[in-house]
């Protein structure tokens, strides 16, 4: 692109994964956001595992566009959101980043949909699993998202984490075996397949939901974050 900067670039910032299926979710989201907002230049970037890194993408786009907005494809405001993405936009006067996708009632509705699709029922014990972070803000976001899910589902929802925070998902599943309920269902607060979702399938749960994926609700939540900042 040459000449004066023009328009807005939207950078979708994913964690990154070695899973081909998980990578495809991000590509599908890029395509879906482009279709929903054709006036935006939409690009993907990553904080770990994959290239290109978010700082490199923002640095490339900032001279070309009036504004660059980085939206993390992460559900809780942990280190990647508050440090990696924030640092990537900080050197550029025309760049900004939004908060994480959650907590959100829209995501709670989608988690409940995934539970129903997986065969969960109101009599089951529900554990919502987040990726996990050492930052208290991320843990607070996960607990807030679980409360929203509990409101939608109509029963209590426990929270567990794939790493860094406690309890772990296997521990939360095991603890729920003490309850007089027939099954334990894990609601995966994850965008796509990969390492963390693989862990859930080995957690001992009776039901594990599919990742949230590149569905219209996630596209809507991305654009909500883009519009509200």
């Amino acid at each position: 692109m040459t000449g004066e900067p023009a328009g807005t670039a939207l950078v979708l910032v994913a964690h990154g994964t070695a899973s081909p299926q998980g990578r495809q979710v991000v590509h599908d989201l890029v395509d879906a956001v482009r279709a929903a907002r054709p006036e935006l230049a939409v690009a993907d970037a990553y904080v770990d595992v994959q290239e290109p890194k978010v700082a490199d993408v923002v640095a490339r786009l900032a001279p070309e566009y009036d504004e660059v907005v980085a939206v993390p494809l992460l559900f809780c405001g942990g280190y990647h959101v508050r440090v990696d993405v924030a640092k990537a936009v900080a050197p550029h006067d025309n760049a900004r980043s939004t908060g994480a996708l959650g907590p959100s009632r829209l995501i709670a509705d989608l988690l409940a949909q995934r539970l129903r699709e997986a065969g969960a029922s109101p009599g089951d014990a529900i554990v919502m699993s987040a990726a996990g972070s050492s930052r208290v803000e991320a843990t607070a976001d996960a607990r807030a998202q679980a409360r929203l899910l509990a409101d939608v589902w109509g029963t209590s929802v426990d929270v567990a984490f794939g790493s860094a925070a406690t309890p772990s998902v296997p521990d939360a599943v095991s603890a729920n075996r003490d309850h007089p309920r027939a099954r334990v269902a894990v609601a995966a607060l994850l965008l796509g397949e990969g390492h963390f979702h693989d862990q859930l399938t080995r957690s001992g749960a009776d039901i594990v939901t599919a990742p949230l994926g590149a569905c219209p609700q996630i596209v809507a939540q991305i654009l909500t974050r883009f519009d509200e900042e």
Side-chain angles (χ1 to χ4, degrees), residues 18-211:
S19 164
Q21 296 90 341
R23 292 184 176 196
Q24 188 60 48
V25 169
V26 178
H27 296 317
D28 290 344
L29 280 172
V30 169
D31 290 342
V33 173
R34 281 177 180 155
R37 294 284 181 89
E39 74 278 11
L40 299 175
V42 185
D44 58 318
Y46 304 89
V47 294
D48 200 2
V49 183
Q50 290 179 247
E51 300 286 343
K53 293 294 186 276
V54 57
D56 295 334
V57 173
V58 173
R60 172 174 60 83
L61 295 175
E64 299 183 357
Y65 291 90
D66 294 318
E67 183 181 36
V68 178
V69 182
V71 177
L73 300 182
L74 302 164
F75 295 103
C76 300
Y79 184 89
H80 292 311
V81 173
R82 295 178 179 270
V83 178
D84 290 332
V85 180
K87 280 186 175 180
V89 300
H92 310 282
D93 291 339
N94 64 333
R96 63 179 173 90
S97 60
T98 74
L101 294 181
S104 160
R105 176 60 184 253
L106 186 63
I107 291 170
D109 289 340
L110 183 56
L111 286 166
Q113 177 183 323
R114 290 289 182 268
L115 282 166
R116 290 190 294 270
E117 291 167 351
S121 66
D124 297 327
I126 306 297
V127 175
M128 191 201 79
S129 171
S133 171
S134 60
R135 294 183 71 102
V136 296
E137 304 98 319
T139 302
D141 283 350
R143 297 192 186 284
Q145 187 64 67
R147 289 193 295 271
L148 290 170
L149 175 58
D151 289 343
V152 173
W153 192 248
T155 62
S156 63
V157 173
D158 290 343
V159 185
F161 301 92
S163 67
T166 57
S168 68
V169 179
D171 285 350
V173 170
S174 179
N176 274 283
R177 294 297 181 194
D178 296 333
H179 294 180
R181 296 174 178 175
R183 301 180 300 177
V184 179
V186 172
L189 185 65
L190 297 170
L191 190 64
E193 295 183 19
H195 171 72
F196 286 122
H197 196 263
D198 290 345
Q199 284 185 327
L200 300 187
T201 64
R202 299 189 293 269
S203 67
D206 301 290
I207 294 170
V208 175
T209 68

